[in-house]
Amino acid sequence: MLSSCHLESRRENAKGMNMLLQSDYIGAAATFGAICQTDPTWHPAFYNRGVAMARCGKYEEALRDFNFVLNAHPDHADSYFNRAIIYENLKDYSNAIKDYTQAIALQPNYLMAYHYRGMVRFKAEDMYGALSDFTKALDLGRGVSMEVKQAKEFGLNSSGLFFCRAAVYQKLGEYEKAIADYSQSLLIDPSNAKAYFNRGAAYLKVYEYEKAKQDMLRAVELSKR
């Protein structure tokens, strides 16, 4: 989508991207918006403004920008992905799933789209669909490393994926599998109080009372930090 003939737009776009990195979403949206006005054929600015607007919680404005980009570039997987996030935030799970699915159709190895679609399917009570998505994301993510701090922000590392799949198994009553996945999650990120709590609840279901007690106490300890 980038073209060498939009040099000034690209320079201003770089400023806007730096604002995004600094969490100045209002400033970034304004910077990208100025590009959209002066160079309305340069679609990356509309996409980036959509991202900034979404971060500001201005979902309708963000939707307009992603729709505009997709009208011109119907093969732009990231626009489908980001539009799906907005639909999810608006609790429009049907359209969110459709857009995550389209992003995956365009990029079959789109790990984040599988993970996020899995979370929407979980919210929509489609446990087997969520299980399939989290398992696929884990398969795609094997060998991919991400710092825990960054992973916690986006929920995309293997720790978060094991946690999500464990929650599905727990909902399905498959407590041993849930315990195994919570344990994998905690091996990667032992600071996750909720994983200890949930594993403790799963231990209760299989009558492992001492292990359940230890996990609950650890969860309480971590939650105080």
Side-chain angles (χ1 to χ4, degrees):
M1 292 175 65
L2 290 176
S3 171
S4 60
C5 64
H6 301 280
L7 296 180
E8 182 60 28
S9 295
R10 295 179 72 175
R11 280 193 288 266
E12 289 301 306
N13 186 71
K15 293 179 184 178
M17 294 301 294
N18 187 59
M19 291 177 183
L20 277 181
L21 292 173
Q22 299 300 318
S23 300
D24 179 8
Y25 304 128
I26 294 175
T31 300
F32 296 132
I35 302 171
C36 294
Q37 288 185 339
T38 59
D39 194 354
T41 64
W42 201 66
H43 297 134
F46 288 88
Y47 170 80
N48 290 332
R49 185 174 65 177
V51 172
M53 287 294 188
R55 295 288 180 89
C56 292
K58 296 183 177 181
Y59 297 133
E60 295 302 325
E61 292 90 336
L63 281 174
R64 282 198 293 269
D65 279 339
F66 293 132
N67 289 340
F68 179 79
V69 174
L70 286 168
N71 185 59
H73 302 275
D75 59 347
H76 194 238
D78 286 343
S79 287
Y80 283 109
F81 176 80
N82 280 280
R83 192 172 69 176
I85 293 174
I86 295 172
Y87 284 136
E88 182 178 354
N89 288 333
L90 294 172
K91 301 188 185 307
D92 184 351
Y93 299 144
S94 177
N95 275 321
I97 290 170
K98 286 179 183 177
D99 272 2
Y100 287 132
T101 300
Q102 185 61 31
I104 290 167
L106 291 165
Q107 292 186 17
N109 293 333
Y110 205 145
L111 188 156
M112 289 187 293
Y114 281 107
H115 191 174
Y116 278 47
R117 188 176 68 178
M119 290 190 288
V120 177
R121 284 176 162 171
F122 184 90
K123 293 174 185 176
E125 300 291 330
D126 177 9
M127 293 303 142
Y128 290 104
L131 180 62
S132 174
D133 279 344
F134 294 141
T135 299
K136 179 64 174 180
L138 279 166
D139 288 341
L140 289 171
R142 293 190 188 284
V144 176
S145 177
M146 183 181 285
E147 293 181 3
V148 171
K149 181 179 179 181
Q150 183 184 5
K152 283 183 177 178
E153 180 180 354
F154 294 101
L156 297 175
N157 71 331
S158 51
S159 171
L161 283 167
F162 278 118
F163 179 91
C164 288
R165 192 172 69 174
V168 175
Y169 281 134
Q170 199 161 12
K171 276 273 195 178
L172 292 171
E174 298 188 40
Y175 300 115
E176 295 289 357
K177 290 181 179 179
I179 289 167
D181 272 358
Y182 284 131
S183 298
Q184 286 295 320
S185 177
L186 287 165
L187 280 174
I188 300 163
D189 180 11
S191 67
N192 190 338
K194 191 169 184 180
Y196 278 107
F197 181 87
N198 287 4
R199 190 176 68 174
Y203 275 132
L204 283 174
K205 292 291 187 179
V206 296
Y207 312 110
E208 295 274 4
Y209 297 121
E210 185 58 34
K211 290 180 179 179
K213 178 182 176 181
Q214 291 174 5
D215 273 359
M216 295 295 187
L217 289 173
R218 182 59 175 158
V220 170
E221 179 186 345
L222 287 169
S223 67
K224 292 179 179 178
R225 294 181 178 179

